[in-house]
Amino acid sequence: MRRVGLFSATLAVLAITSMTAQSADDIKPPSGYRNWFHVNTMIVDKASPLFDSLGGMHNVHVNSAGEDALKKGSPYPDGTVFVTDLHDFTVSDGSYVEGKLKGLAVMVKDAKKYEATGGWGFQFFAEGDANKPLVTDATKQCFECHVPQKTHDYVYSTYIP
Amino acid sequence: MRRVGLFSATLAVLAITSMTAQSADDIKPPSGYRNWFHVNTMIVDKASPLFDSLGGMHNVHVNSAGEDALKKGSPYPDGTVFVTDLHDFTVSDGSYVEGKLKGLAVMVKDAKKYEATGGWGFQFFAEGDANKPLVTDATKQCFECHVPQKTHDYVYSTYIP
């Protein structure tokens, strides 16, 4: 996958993992993210080897704390939050159409608090529900796939004017 | 096309039209739209009969004036602005990835001013450039395709929670 995905944890892994190390229990689903800066959209289609884990329409937003860093390139200041507003999609006559919400993937920057995972806290909320967090081991479920992006502060998304 | 497209004017038509009736010369490309409410994203792919005219990734935003009306359903108040932030896309290993800006499609609500076109002014700016407006006849190039959406105040986009 190119440098466009916000998170690389697989939902398949999420579903079968029961470890509790580095759980970011303090992360909550943010509100108002659809008024945050729209970073990019990516669709992971059925033909992708990632479809089972990451299939859907990924609408990526960043909050105001991280907007300048996105535009300039990393590093991101503490307080930056990325959200992937993940939706189903349908294909109709060659058009890919947004469907219902599948979940929210959240990355929160706090260099000290999340030092073990590159300064980022990770969580995924099924259906955007605060009571349905799926990440119990951020290192294995999320961070390990972000390590190749170390030079970009572990973020895949880039600024597209 | 289902009720997801923001505008239905074809760029092919835009390119060959030289009429000047109902030109919305006063409409300018808005700024800050990527911080407006993200309404939805749609990709018109090569398999679509609309690809030649509307191909691309359509990231649709609405300004604060129209946000409540979107969520409740129409009608939209004067001052509502919809923007389609239209980008190229590439397909890589089954993922659809956002590319560079193709243009901005703009709809501005002013019931009196644009009475002849359902209360909406229409414009499309190639590459988002204020000096490259392509709509010279909003009725033929834009409005006629929005008429079927009269009961939704001529807007195709709907609210997807």
Side-chain angles (χ1 to χ4, degrees):
Chain A
M1 187 162 58
R2 292 168 50 187
R3 294 181 51 227
V4 292
L6 175 62
F7 68 107
S8 298
T10 69
L11 300 189
V13 171
L14 295 175
I16 60 174
T17 301
S18 61
M19 294 174 68
T20 55
Q22 286 141 358
S23 166
D25 292 336
D26 57 320
I27 297 177
K28 303 298 175 195
S31 61
Y33 52 85
R34 280 170 69 162
N35 286 90
W36 293 1
F37 186 82
H38 177 246
V39 178
N40 68 65
T41 288
M42 175 179 65
I43 293 179
V44 178
D45 198 8
K46 290 186 175 64
S48 170
L50 300 171
F51 182 77
D52 286 345
S53 53
L54 292 174
M57 178 184 286
H58 299 238
N59 297 317
V60 182
H61 302 266
V62 68
N63 70 352
S64 58
E67 201 177 310
D68 283 349
L70 173 76
K71 291 175 182 173
K72 294 175 184 170
S74 55
Y76 291 89
D78 282 2
T80 295
V81 182
F82 279 93
V83 171
T84 293
D85 185 23
L86 179 64
H87 284 253
D88 281 327
F89 66 88
T90 55
V91 184
S92 173
D93 211 14
S95 288
Y96 286 69
V97 177
E98 185 169 332
K100 72 178 176 60
L101 180 65
K102 292 183 74 173
L104 297 177
V106 183
M107 282 176 71
V108 177
K109 184 74 185 280
D110 187 322
K112 284 193 178 177
K113 191 177 200 173
Y114 303 118
E115 189 179 359
T117 49
W120 292 96
F122 297 86
Q123 190 47 273
F124 182 90
F125 298 96
E127 301 163 28
D129 187 336
N131 297 314
K132 296 179 181 174
L134 298 187
V135 173
T136 52
D137 183 345
T139 298
K140 289 196 179 302
Q141 293 171 283
C142 307
F143 181 62
E144 286 180 355
C145 291
H146 283 259
V147 169
Q149 291 301 320
K150 184 176 180 180
T151 55
H152 297 92
D153 203 4
Y154 305 102
V155 173
Y156 278 91
S157 288
T158 56
Y159 177 52
I160 304 166
Chain B
M1 187 162 60
R2 291 169 52 186
R3 294 181 51 228
V4 290
L6 174 61
F7 68 108
S8 299
T10 70
L11 301 190
V13 171
L14 295 176
I16 61 173
T17 302
S18 60
M19 296 174 66
T20 55
Q22 285 142 0
S23 166
D25 293 335
D26 57 320
I27 297 177
K28 303 297 175 195
S31 60
Y33 53 85
R34 280 169 70 164
N35 286 91
W36 293 0
F37 186 82
H38 178 244
V39 178
N40 69 66
T41 287
M42 175 179 65
I43 293 179
V44 178
D45 198 6
K46 290 185 175 62
S48 169
L50 299 172
F51 182 77
D52 286 344
S53 51
L54 292 174
M57 178 184 287
H58 299 238
N59 297 316
V60 183
H61 301 265
V62 68
N63 70 350
S64 58
E67 200 177 311
D68 284 348
L70 174 76
K71 291 175 181 172
K72 294 175 183 171
S74 55
Y76 290 89
D78 282 1
T80 295
V81 182
F82 279 93
V83 170
T84 293
D85 185 22
L86 180 64
H87 284 253
D88 281 327
F89 66 88
T90 54
V91 185
S92 173
D93 212 13
S95 288
Y96 286 69
V97 176
E98 186 169 331
K100 72 179 176 60
L101 180 65
K102 292 183 73 174
L104 298 176
V106 183
M107 283 176 69
V108 177
K109 184 73 183 279
D110 187 322
K112 284 193 179 178
K113 190 177 199 174
Y114 304 118
E115 190 179 358
T117 49
W120 292 96
F122 297 86
Q123 191 47 272
F124 182 89
F125 299 95
E127 299 162 29
D129 187 335
N131 297 313
K132 296 179 182 174
L134 298 187
V135 173
T136 53
D137 183 345
T139 298
K140 290 197 178 303
Q141 293 170 281
C142 308
F143 181 61
E144 286 180 356
C145 292
H146 283 259
V147 169
Q149 291 302 319
K150 184 177 181 180
T151 56
H152 297 94
D153 203 4
Y154 305 101
V155 173
Y156 278 89
S157 288
T158 56
Y159 177 52
I160 304 165

